[in-house]
Each structure stands twice: as structure tokens, then as C-alpha cells.
Amino acid sequence: MRIRVGHLYPEYLNIYADRGNIAVLARRAALRGHELEVSPIGLGDAVEPGAHDLLYVGGGQDREQALVAPDLEEKGEAVRAAVDGGAALLAVCGGYQLLGRGYRGRDGSFMPGAGLFPHETVAGDTRMIGDVLLECELTPGSRQQLAGFENHAGRTVLDDGAEPLGRVVYGFGNDGRSGREGCRVARAVGTYLHGPLLPRNPWLADWLLAQALAHATGAHPPALEPLPDDLEREAFRVSASRARDRGGRG
Ligand code: GLN
């Protein structure tokens, strides 16, 4: 299959090894005989619901976020329609904040968002920096751990009833208090975990690929053939033990 990926604002929201996440998706797809076709979606480009099996938004500083926020607000309806139609989505950090209703940055200005995730974010006086370990259950009955790194001033508060991506085991998470991290809506997930998120959490890469394939085929998410993942498991182990030893305390 061809898996069509729309990469939102690669030229602005592009810190923290974002391309690495896409490289992992491409490689893991190829090892199962699928091809990832990645197209950039920039300022002023239309998002056509149905045209992408997976949308990707990376992280950025407040300055870059301010540059894309009005455009993303305009794209909001199309992004919500794409996810309603079954497209998968991964949003990291600055992109995760802007896919909610909006983000009030360090200078007090409000950046509107796409309104996909039921949350709002306000920057605090301190940054929440450190390694993170989460417990997730994206598929009922299948618990998985996710390890990563967070670095954000924004505190994200989920609406009542909103589904987080996971429960914080070590680290700060959305706001340093709630014990919740990220957000999930249908096949869309947003998270503060950046840096090489997918290389050390291959189960999440495969979950996203399976969701994207389900969108492409109209069938259920397929079970993907397992890969050896020895290095990936080791990377996860190192990252998870760092989170245990020195992750931020919420
Ligand atoms: N500028 C945002 C914050 O500090 C997001 C930072 C990021 O993407 N790491 O909260």
C-alpha cells in the first residue's frame, strides 16, 4: 500500500528530530512492504480531508508557533474533518498545543489553534524539562509504556472527559499536576514527548501505521508483522531508566 502522510509546517515546526519520527514510520512501513509518501503542507496550503492517511505536526518555539497559529486555525475545520474521516495524526509538543483551542505564550499573546484536541494551554514561569515514562492503553486490554523527553513552558489542561494519551509514571506531563500526558481523539494522538519519540517506542509507530493503513483501506487496522526491535528495546530501556532516576516531578 501507499501511505499518504501530510507533514504540516515542516519548515517551522521542525525541531526535536521530527524528521526522525517520519524516517521511522517510512522504514517500518517499508519492512512490511508499504510505501510512505510524504508531502509538506505549508502556510496557505489547503488540507483536503481524505487526502492523507496520517498527518504529522512537530514541535517549535513560541516564535515559530506564533507564525503558524492563524493559518492552523484556518485549517482547523479541515483537520477535524480529516480525523473524523479516520485519518491518523501525531502532534508533538508545540504542534500538540496548537491542535487544541489555543496557547497563551510566555509574552501573554494568545495563539489560536485547530480545535481538534479538547484542551487549552497557558505558558507558566518555569519550564518542565526531563525524561518521562508513561503508561498507555490505546487498544483496550493492551497496556504499553512510552518513554521520552519533555521540555515545555506550556501547561495543558484537558477538558473534563477528554482522553489523555497516557498516565504519567515519571515526569511532568501535560501540566505537572494532573498525572495525565497528551491527548487522544479517535486515531489522533498529541504528546509533549519529543526528541526521538518513535525510534524508542516502536509500538507507537506501528499503532500509527496500522491506523493509517486502516484509513487507506477502509478496513480494520491490520496486525503488522513483528520486527526484531532489539536496538529499539534497548533505547527504550535506557530512556525509561533515565525517567525513573531523574524525570521531572509533577
Ligand atoms: N513553545 C512551547 C512551550 O514552551 C512548545 C515548546 C516545544 O515544542 N518544545 O511550551
Side-chain angles (χ1 to χ4, degrees), residues 15-16 59-62 65 92-95 97 103 127 151-154 192 194:
I15 49 178
Y16 311 135
Q61 313 281 9
D62 285 22
Q65 288 177 282
V92 176
C93 206
Q97 295 172 338
Y103 171 47
R127 299 193 71 81
N151 179 358
H152 52 110
Y192 273 114
H194 54 67

mmCIF file of all heavy atoms in Angstrom, residues 15-16 59-62 65 92-95 97 103 127 151-154 192 194, ligand 1:
data_model
loop_
_atom_site.group_PDB
_atom_site.id
_atom_site.type_symbol
_atom_site.label_atom_id
_atom_site.label_comp_id
_atom_site.label_asym_id
_atom_site.label_seq_id
_atom_site.Cartn_x
_atom_site.Cartn_y
_atom_site.Cartn_z
ATOM 1 N N ILE A 15 11.753 21.204 15.103
ATOM 2 C CA ILE A 15 12.876 20.898 15.991
ATOM 3 C C ILE A 15 12.665 19.508 16.601
ATOM 4 O O ILE A 15 11.654 18.858 16.363
ATOM 5 C CB ILE A 15 13.046 21.970 17.093
ATOM 6 C CG1 ILE A 15 11.731 22.286 17.790
ATOM 7 C CG2 ILE A 15 13.646 23.220 16.515
ATOM 8 C CD1 ILE A 15 11.855 23.300 18.900
ATOM 9 N N TYR A 16 13.629 19.064 17.374
ATOM 10 C CA TYR A 16 13.494 17.815 18.122
ATOM 11 C C TYR A 16 13.376 16.565 17.259
ATOM 12 O O TYR A 16 12.509 15.714 17.496
ATOM 13 C CB TYR A 16 12.267 17.867 19.046
ATOM 14 C CG TYR A 16 12.173 19.093 19.886
ATOM 15 C CD1 TYR A 16 10.985 19.772 20.010
ATOM 16 C CD2 TYR A 16 13.288 19.557 20.565
ATOM 17 C CE1 TYR A 16 10.899 20.910 20.794
ATOM 18 C CE2 TYR A 16 13.207 20.693 21.345
ATOM 19 C CZ TYR A 16 12.013 21.366 21.459
ATOM 20 O OH TYR A 16 11.928 22.477 22.229
ATOM 21 N N GLY A 59 7.256 20.011 16.814
ATOM 22 C CA GLY A 59 7.338 20.995 17.891
ATOM 23 C C GLY A 59 8.012 22.267 17.427
ATOM 24 O O GLY A 59 8.604 22.323 16.351
ATOM 25 N N GLY A 60 7.904 23.307 18.241
ATOM 26 C CA GLY A 60 8.550 24.573 17.899
ATOM 27 C C GLY A 60 8.551 25.513 19.081
ATOM 28 O O GLY A 60 7.852 25.285 20.070
ATOM 29 N N GLN A 61 9.350 26.524 18.967
ATOM 30 C CA GLN A 61 9.375 27.571 19.997
ATOM 31 C C GLN A 61 8.158 28.467 19.832
ATOM 32 O O GLN A 61 7.526 28.473 18.781
ATOM 33 C CB GLN A 61 10.634 28.434 19.842
ATOM 34 C CG GLN A 61 11.915 27.660 19.669
ATOM 35 C CD GLN A 61 12.440 27.128 20.996
ATOM 36 O OE1 GLN A 61 11.747 27.213 22.005
ATOM 37 N NE2 GLN A 61 13.626 26.577 20.983
ATOM 38 N N ASP A 62 7.876 29.282 20.865
ATOM 39 C CA ASP A 62 6.750 30.211 20.788
ATOM 40 C C ASP A 62 6.807 31.051 19.499
ATOM 41 O O ASP A 62 5.780 31.314 18.876
ATOM 42 C CB ASP A 62 6.759 31.168 21.996
ATOM 43 C CG ASP A 62 6.299 30.485 23.295
ATOM 44 O OD1 ASP A 62 6.373 29.243 23.377
ATOM 45 O OD2 ASP A 62 5.875 31.201 24.216
ATOM 46 N N GLN A 65 5.617 29.082 16.626
ATOM 47 C CA GLN A 65 4.194 28.779 16.819
ATOM 48 C C GLN A 65 3.333 29.985 16.437
ATOM 49 O O GLN A 65 2.292 29.841 15.802
ATOM 50 C CB GLN A 65 3.934 28.405 18.280
ATOM 51 C CG GLN A 65 4.482 27.044 18.666
ATOM 52 C CD GLN A 65 4.242 26.766 20.145
ATOM 53 O OE1 GLN A 65 4.953 27.289 20.996
ATOM 54 N NE2 GLN A 65 3.239 25.980 20.452
ATOM 55 N N VAL A 92 3.358 16.743 18.105
ATOM 56 C CA VAL A 92 4.367 16.763 19.155
ATOM 57 C C VAL A 92 4.529 18.180 19.709
ATOM 58 O O VAL A 92 4.683 19.132 18.937
ATOM 59 C CB VAL A 92 5.715 16.266 18.594
ATOM 60 C CG1 VAL A 92 6.816 16.378 19.641
ATOM 61 C CG2 VAL A 92 5.602 14.821 18.112
ATOM 62 N N CYS A 93 4.471 18.286 21.009
ATOM 63 C CA CYS A 93 4.826 19.487 21.765
ATOM 64 C C CYS A 93 4.166 20.772 21.230
ATOM 65 O O CYS A 93 2.976 20.947 21.422
ATOM 66 C CB CYS A 93 6.340 19.603 21.854
ATOM 67 S SG CYS A 93 6.828 20.547 23.307
ATOM 68 N N GLY A 94 4.923 21.664 20.564
ATOM 69 C CA GLY A 94 4.314 22.905 20.069
ATOM 70 C C GLY A 94 3.133 22.623 19.150
ATOM 71 O O GLY A 94 2.113 23.326 19.189
ATOM 72 N N GLY A 95 3.239 21.589 18.323
ATOM 73 C CA GLY A 95 2.140 21.209 17.433
ATOM 74 C C GLY A 95 0.961 20.660 18.216
ATOM 75 O O GLY A 95 -0.200 20.923 17.893
ATOM 76 N N GLN A 97 0.172 21.535 21.284
ATOM 77 C CA GLN A 97 -0.503 22.683 21.905
ATOM 78 C C GLN A 97 -1.433 23.371 20.902
ATOM 79 O O GLN A 97 -2.572 23.711 21.226
ATOM 80 C CB GLN A 97 0.541 23.697 22.398
ATOM 81 C CG GLN A 97 1.418 23.164 23.520
ATOM 82 C CD GLN A 97 2.573 24.096 23.868
ATOM 83 O OE1 GLN A 97 2.979 24.936 23.055
ATOM 84 N NE2 GLN A 97 3.115 23.947 25.068
ATOM 85 N N TYR A 103 -3.031 28.480 22.584
ATOM 86 C CA TYR A 103 -1.881 28.535 23.501
ATOM 87 C C TYR A 103 -1.577 29.996 23.835
ATOM 88 O O TYR A 103 -1.396 30.808 22.919
ATOM 89 C CB TYR A 103 -0.688 27.873 22.803
ATOM 90 C CG TYR A 103 0.648 28.029 23.511
ATOM 91 C CD1 TYR A 103 0.775 27.799 24.882
ATOM 92 C CD2 TYR A 103 1.793 28.397 22.802
ATOM 93 C CE1 TYR A 103 2.007 27.937 25.515
ATOM 94 C CE2 TYR A 103 3.027 28.527 23.429
ATOM 95 C CZ TYR A 103 3.120 28.307 24.781
ATOM 96 O OH TYR A 103 4.335 28.440 25.410
ATOM 97 N N ARG A 127 10.028 26.103 33.095
ATOM 98 C CA ARG A 127 9.911 25.077 32.052
ATOM 99 C C ARG A 127 9.877 23.700 32.713
ATOM 100 O O ARG A 127 10.518 23.483 33.736
ATOM 101 C CB ARG A 127 11.091 25.153 31.079
ATOM 102 C CG ARG A 127 11.182 26.470 30.342
ATOM 103 C CD ARG A 127 12.146 26.379 29.184
ATOM 104 N NE ARG A 127 11.626 25.557 28.098
ATOM 105 C CZ ARG A 127 10.752 25.991 27.190
ATOM 106 N NH1 ARG A 127 10.296 27.224 27.230
ATOM 107 N NH2 ARG A 127 10.320 25.188 26.244
ATOM 108 N N ASN A 151 10.107 19.167 27.267
ATOM 109 C CA ASN A 151 10.724 20.481 27.501
ATOM 110 C C ASN A 151 9.714 21.533 27.078
ATOM 111 O O ASN A 151 9.619 21.875 25.905
ATOM 112 C CB ASN A 151 12.007 20.615 26.685
ATOM 113 C CG ASN A 151 12.654 21.991 26.889
ATOM 114 O OD1 ASN A 151 12.122 22.844 27.596
ATOM 115 N ND2 ASN A 151 13.796 22.192 26.264
ATOM 116 N N HIS A 152 8.926 22.009 28.026
ATOM 117 C CA HIS A 152 7.862 22.949 27.668
ATOM 118 C C HIS A 152 7.542 23.883 28.821
ATOM 119 O O HIS A 152 7.646 23.496 29.992
ATOM 120 C CB HIS A 152 6.589 22.201 27.233
ATOM 121 C CG HIS A 152 6.110 21.153 28.204
ATOM 122 N ND1 HIS A 152 4.961 21.300 28.950
ATOM 123 C CD2 HIS A 152 6.618 19.947 28.551
ATOM 124 C CE1 HIS A 152 4.782 20.211 29.708
ATOM 125 N NE2 HIS A 152 5.778 19.377 29.492
ATOM 126 N N ALA A 153 7.156 25.102 28.447
ATOM 127 C CA ALA A 153 6.669 26.059 29.444
ATOM 128 C C ALA A 153 5.147 25.946 29.538
ATOM 129 O O ALA A 153 4.554 26.252 30.569
ATOM 130 C CB ALA A 153 7.060 27.475 29.048
ATOM 131 N N GLY A 154 4.518 25.508 28.460
ATOM 132 C CA GLY A 154 3.066 25.423 28.419
ATOM 133 C C GLY A 154 2.515 24.387 29.384
ATOM 134 O O GLY A 154 3.085 23.300 29.520
ATOM 135 N N TYR A 192 3.623 15.728 24.579
ATOM 136 C CA TYR A 192 4.791 16.578 24.804
ATOM 137 C C TYR A 192 6.086 15.831 24.562
ATOM 138 O O TYR A 192 7.154 16.435 24.572
ATOM 139 C CB TYR A 192 4.779 17.127 26.235
ATOM 140 C CG TYR A 192 3.981 18.400 26.368
ATOM 141 C CD1 TYR A 192 2.816 18.461 27.103
ATOM 142 C CD2 TYR A 192 4.418 19.555 25.732
ATOM 143 C CE1 TYR A 192 2.089 19.635 27.209
ATOM 144 C CE2 TYR A 192 3.705 20.737 25.824
ATOM 145 C CZ TYR A 192 2.544 20.771 26.569
ATOM 146 O OH TYR A 192 1.843 21.943 26.649
ATOM 147 N N HIS A 194 9.080 14.590 22.918
ATOM 148 C CA HIS A 194 9.708 14.819 21.621
ATOM 149 C C HIS A 194 11.092 14.200 21.607
ATOM 150 O O HIS A 194 11.344 13.244 22.318
ATOM 151 C CB HIS A 194 9.681 16.289 21.242
ATOM 152 C CG HIS A 194 10.275 17.190 22.265
ATOM 153 N ND1 HIS A 194 11.606 17.194 22.586
ATOM 154 C CD2 HIS A 194 9.700 18.136 23.051
ATOM 155 C CE1 HIS A 194 11.818 18.111 23.497
ATOM 156 N NE2 HIS A 194 10.692 18.689 23.811
HETATM 157 N N1 GLN B 1 6.901 26.786 22.972
HETATM 158 C C1 GLN B 1 6.176 25.767 23.643
HETATM 159 C C2 GLN B 1 6.442 25.692 25.138
HETATM 160 O O1 GLN B 1 7.499 26.083 25.591
HETATM 161 C C3 GLN B 1 6.440 24.430 22.968
HETATM 162 C C4 GLN B 1 7.871 24.028 23.081
HETATM 163 C C5 GLN B 1 8.184 22.766 22.348
HETATM 164 O O2 GLN B 1 7.664 22.458 21.261
HETATM 165 N N2 GLN B 1 9.087 22.041 22.944
HETATM 166 O O3 GLN B 1 5.592 25.227 25.880
#
